[in-house]
Amino acid sequence: MEAYLSDTLIKYVTENDGYLRKFTETYRPFRNQTFTTDDIFNRMDHLKDIVKGELRELMYHNLPKIKQIFMDSMGVDIGVIKDLYKAVLIRHDIVHRNGKDKDGKEHVITKENVEQLCALVNDFIYNIECQLPPTATSVEEIGSPFDVTL
């Protein structure tokens, strides 16, 4: 899911001048940057690379921040993220705390939990795809990577 968010945001923002402009106008770290007039054309010549670098540095598991960037840059509402964000936090505990929460309580993950999460991620991505201009790599054309049977 995080890779999808990253790839999608980078692709659309760097390949669409309207999205690129909105991103550069609304992305908070860019708001306070100053540069001299002799640097304007150099920055414009490299703007897509500068933006791509910034987008690659984002933490796509920070769903509230990513939600805002999608809305500000492309007018895409990624939807309700509450349940997905809970899953991201559990994944964090699995990876960084050996499967336990901050209090030492072990997370129990069932097959049903995984199936529900796969369906949730599939719906989440489909919702985003429905709001984007079609491309040759849209989910409708290649199918969802989450359509799996466990």
Side-chain angles (χ1 to χ4, degrees):
M1 178 187 76
E2 293 172 33
Y4 167 81
L5 291 171
S6 171
D7 291 348
T8 300
L9 195 57
I10 291 169
K11 175 183 177 42
Y12 280 90
V13 168
T14 60
E15 292 181 6
N16 180 298
D17 289 341
Y19 296 156
L20 180 68
R21 181 178 186 128
K22 289 298 287 181
F23 177 80
T24 58
E25 290 173 347
T26 61
Y27 186 59
R28 287 201 171 129
F30 283 3
R31 286 184 184 173
N32 297 325
Q33 286 187 357
T34 57
F35 48 91
T36 60
T37 55
D38 62 332
D39 199 28
I40 289 173
F41 290 106
N42 183 38
R43 292 218 180 209
M44 290 208 34
D45 289 343
H46 296 86
L47 184 59
K48 287 182 182 181
D49 292 330
I50 293 168
V51 167
K52 190 180 285 188
E54 282 291 318
L55 291 173
R56 284 188 176 143
E57 292 297 318
L58 291 175
M59 299 296 169
Y60 286 86
H61 59 266
N62 185 344
L63 292 178
K65 181 176 184 175
I66 298 304
K67 178 179 176 101
Q68 192 63 52
I69 293 172
F70 265 80
M71 180 56 77
D72 291 345
S73 301
M74 302 185 299
V76 170
D77 181 0
I78 67 173
V80 178
I81 57 173
K82 180 182 172 185
D83 291 337
L84 285 172
Y85 197 59
K86 285 180 186 177
V88 167
L89 295 175
I90 291 170
R91 180 195 64 79
H92 180 83
D93 287 346
I94 291 169
V95 172
H96 299 288
R97 293 192 180 97
N98 200 26
K100 298 175 183 168
D101 67 13
K102 290 179 182 179
D103 298 323
K105 182 180 175 192
E106 190 172 329
H107 290 284
V108 177
I109 309 297
T110 67
K111 177 181 176 182
E112 289 78 25
N113 295 138
V114 174
E115 289 171 340
Q116 290 171 351
L117 183 57
C118 285
L120 185 63
V121 171
N122 190 48
D123 291 346
F124 174 74
I125 290 173
Y126 183 77
N127 171 54
I128 294 169
E129 285 288 313
C130 288
Q131 297 177 66
L132 295 170
T135 68
T137 58
S138 67
V139 169
E140 290 93 9
E141 294 175 28
I142 62 172
S144 170
F146 301 104
D147 291 335
V148 294
T149 303
L150 297 176

